[in-house]
Amino acid sequence: MFAPDSGWADLMAWLQIPTLIEQEVVSHAFTWLAPFRPRLAVIRPNLDIIEQVDRIRSQSQSVPLPNPNGVQVSTPDRLMQIKQAFLK
């Protein structure tokens, strides 16, 4: 699957569908999805797309590394606290 950095990518992560994301706008955007064992990667324009597809399909779990150039809205720990508070 190809998806933008949106709720669609979050859904694909939750369903564990191998997904290549167009970009990671917010730093640490996908860190909180790790417990769902997602299969996500951000498209790297300098690499062959077929190799990227094969790599993400063959992995049992993959979470994109935080984007150092992305918008920093909160730390991963703070996002987890917010999520846990929402669930209560």
Side-chain angles (χ1 to χ4, degrees):
M1 172 71 67
F2 293 94
D5 179 355
S6 69
W8 189 253
D10 295 347
L11 176 62
M12 296 302 106
W14 182 69
L15 295 172
Q16 298 177 346
I17 295 173
T19 304
L20 289 174
I21 304 161
E22 294 172 358
Q23 63 179 337
E24 184 179 9
V25 177
V26 178
S27 178
H28 300 88
F30 301 103
T31 306
W32 72 273
L33 293 167
F36 298 107
R37 297 181 47 93
R39 295 164 67 188
L40 300 173
V42 176
I43 295 173
R44 298 178 66 191
N46 57 333
L47 298 177
D48 180 55
I49 193 68
I50 301 301
E51 289 178 15
Q52 294 179 70
V53 168
D54 288 343
R55 186 177 309 118
I56 196 66
R57 290 181 64 201
S58 67
Q59 293 179 335
S60 61
Q61 179 177 355
S62 175
V63 179
L65 295 174
N67 177 1
N69 299 321
V71 177
Q72 182 72 32
V73 292
S74 188
T75 65
D77 292 334
R78 180 64 184 136
L79 291 174
M80 188 58 75
Q81 290 172 350
I82 292 168
K83 179 183 170 193
Q84 290 172 348
F86 177 78
L87 294 174
K88 289 180 183 180

